[in-house]
Amino acid sequence: MSDYLPLGSTIGILGGGQLGRMLSVAAARLGYRSHVFEPAKAPPAAHVSDRLTTADYEDDEALMRFAEQVDVITYEFENIPSHALDTLERLRPIHPNRKALTTSQDRLTEKDFLTSLGLRTAPYAVVGSAAEMADAVATVGTPAILKTRRFGYDGKGQARLQTPQDAKQALADMAGAPALLEGFVSFSHEVSVIGARSRDGQVVCYDPGENVHRNGILHTTTVPAKLSVAQRTDAVILTGRILNALDYVGVMGVELFVTAGGLVVNEIAPRVHNSGHWTQNGCAVDQFEQHIRAIAGWPLSDGRRHSDIEMLNLIGDDIGSIDEFARDPAAAIHLYGKSQARPGRKMGHVNKVLGPAS
Ligand code: AMP
């Protein structure tokens, strides 16, 4: 255990949502304490973490106090303000690293990075003004999607263009935020790979999952995904290349479109990912434990899958059907402890075990 983060050390987690909650549980299982930093009061992770700091990302003193009380820092979301990172980074190591964060915080940087590795993305063009919008529509064509460069998630900050006539409205929808126009990719289905890289460069990927979205929010992930052997190999190799190029430590989600011409990378998330929740009941070591292992300097699990799984997100009022799942002996229920069910709010998920790994 000589190179491991000593047992009993404290892992600092930025963000106290459901991902922070499940990371805290995994840390505890491996003998670590967790300390969550979260601006909102009574976040889901508060129930299961050792300590909670309730403060803003602008509050430098709170950030410093938090950093001094932890041994290593990780996060559950990628939009951490950079000045907060400056403060934290001076005091403690942060995994995954700054490069992974800056690459994924901006859709333009992300796409430039992916294409520099020779990976395929949707055609894209930067849009900061009406003139650039006209140029972008001319280069990228329609149909297309205009997306804010930063702070988009679950399909938020996006406007669709069926024809060039929709350009004006789409640009207005961005409310002045810098944006990127993406050509519409004609895909048969969407898959994602949850990959991990350890401190000494071991790379392991879970089997790709097949994702179905509803209203821009992930609805189900099913493993195994419909992929040929060649597509599955490609998905895993391209994820490994991304992890290596970023000198990454931790778990990452890579979202892919499956097209007739091959795999197209939609986006990368430098954190544990909703489409990786199936690993909790499909693998001996799930994505949360894998992440804690990586940032604590442990060897990684090989990620093998023992069961076929369908993960179903419980969004808003879906939580009302919990009785039905509770009576199903093949359904593992994971709830986030959120008191109010609002439309679009992720309340929990159910991993339905479909059978032994096929
Ligand atoms: P995003 O927030 O970029 O992950 O987009 C949310 C969802 O919108 C994706 O999961 C896709 O279903 C769809 N989408 C995003 N970008 C494109 C694109 N360039 N072409 C086709 N569909 C897209």
Side-chain angles (χ1 to χ4, degrees):
M1 299 280 290
S2 56
D3 289 342
Y4 294 19
L5 182 69
L7 299 182
S9 300
T10 301
I11 295 177
I13 302 172
L14 303 173
Q18 59 269 16
L19 301 179
R21 176 184 172 101
M22 292 183 275
L23 283 170
S24 288
V25 171
R29 244 181 10 238
L30 294 184
Y32 295 116
R33 295 170 186 277
S34 60
H35 184 157
V36 166
F37 188 102
E38 164 65 53
K41 292 217 169 64
H47 308 167
V48 296
S49 60
D50 227 55
R51 296 195 66 174
L52 173 70
T53 294
T54 310
D56 219 76
Y57 286 102
E58 316 300 316
D59 186 342
D60 256 354
E61 241 174 72
L63 286 167
M64 283 193 279
R65 238 178 298 124
F66 165 78
E68 279 157 5
Q69 290 169 0
V70 305
D71 298 288
V72 59
I73 297 174
T74 190
Y75 45 87
E76 64 152 18
F77 74 118
E78 53 272 39
N79 290 319
I80 303 154
S82 64
H83 64 85
L85 292 168
D86 293 339
T87 303
L88 295 168
E89 213 171 38
R90 275 196 292 273
L91 296 165
R92 292 293 181 271
I94 304 183
H95 300 302
N97 62 24
R98 199 68 183 260
K99 188 171 177 199
L101 273 168
T102 46
T103 303
S104 60
Q105 276 178 346
D106 182 334
R107 290 188 193 275
L108 176 64
T109 320
E110 181 177 276
K111 289 240 177 348
D112 285 347
F113 162 73
L114 293 167
T115 51
S116 77
L117 292 182
L119 304 179
R120 287 183 58 201
T121 68
Y124 62 99
V126 70
V127 174
S129 63
E132 276 182 345
M133 182 71 186
D135 288 347
V137 173
T139 354
V140 166
T142 52
I145 309 182
L146 189 63
K147 301 181 179 180
T148 53
R149 278 174 57 176
R150 297 172 66 91
F151 306 121
Y153 68 99
D154 285 347
K156 293 194 175 68
Q158 301 194 2
R160 299 209 171 196
L161 285 78
Q162 293 307 331
T163 69
Q165 281 70 48
D166 297 332
K168 201 169 167 204
Q169 184 57 49
L171 191 59
D173 288 351
M174 298 295 109
L180 200 71
L181 188 70
E182 278 186 29
F184 201 82
V185 177
S186 165
F187 57 82
S188 54
H189 52 297
E190 294 182 67
V191 299
S192 55
V193 179
I194 307 299
R197 189 166 177 277
S198 71
R199 280 206 318 227
D200 57 9
Q202 182 193 4
V203 169
V204 170
C205 294
Y206 291 102
D207 223 356
E210 184 167 334
N211 301 325
V212 173
H213 294 84
R214 267 197 198 164
N215 306 319
I217 302 176
L218 184 66
H219 175 52
T220 57
T221 300
T222 308
V223 273
K226 283 194 296 295
L227 290 174
S228 66
V229 173
Q231 286 169 326
R232 184 160 297 150
T233 307
D234 193 23
V236 164
I237 287 177
L238 76 81
T239 300
R241 289 186 56 206
I242 293 170
L243 291 167
N244 279 342
L246 293 171
D247 194 20
Y248 196 86
V249 174
V251 162
M252 166 181 279
V254 178
E255 296 180 19
L256 302 166
F257 298 135
V258 183
T259 77
L263 300 175
V264 173
V265 185
N266 175 28
E267 60 182 13
I268 60 176
R271 53 172 169 78
V272 287
H273 198 259
N274 193 168
S275 69
H277 292 358
W278 66 268
T279 58
Q280 292 171 309
N281 300 97
C283 302
V285 171
D286 67 27
Q287 63 164 347
F288 302 99
E289 179 175 333
Q290 191 82 309
H291 184 75
I292 300 295
R293 281 175 173 240
I295 66 168
W298 291 36
L300 302 179
S301 155
D302 67 3
R304 80 179 66 170
R305 182 169 60 79
H306 56 66
S307 299
D308 288 358
I309 305 280
E310 184 192 72
M311 188 285 308
L312 171 72
N313 263 343
L314 301 175
I315 311 282
D317 289 340
D318 292 349
I319 187 93
S321 332
I322 207 71
D323 278 8
E324 176 198 323
F325 299 115
R327 281 194 295 271
D328 179 350
I333 299 171
H334 301 260
L335 301 182
Y336 308 149
K338 297 180 183 176
S339 48
Q340 277 192 326
R342 288 193 294 272
R345 193 172 196 208
K346 291 177 179 168
M347 303 300 291
H349 63 275
V350 176
N351 284 331
K352 170 118 181 170
V353 180
L354 305 174
S358 55

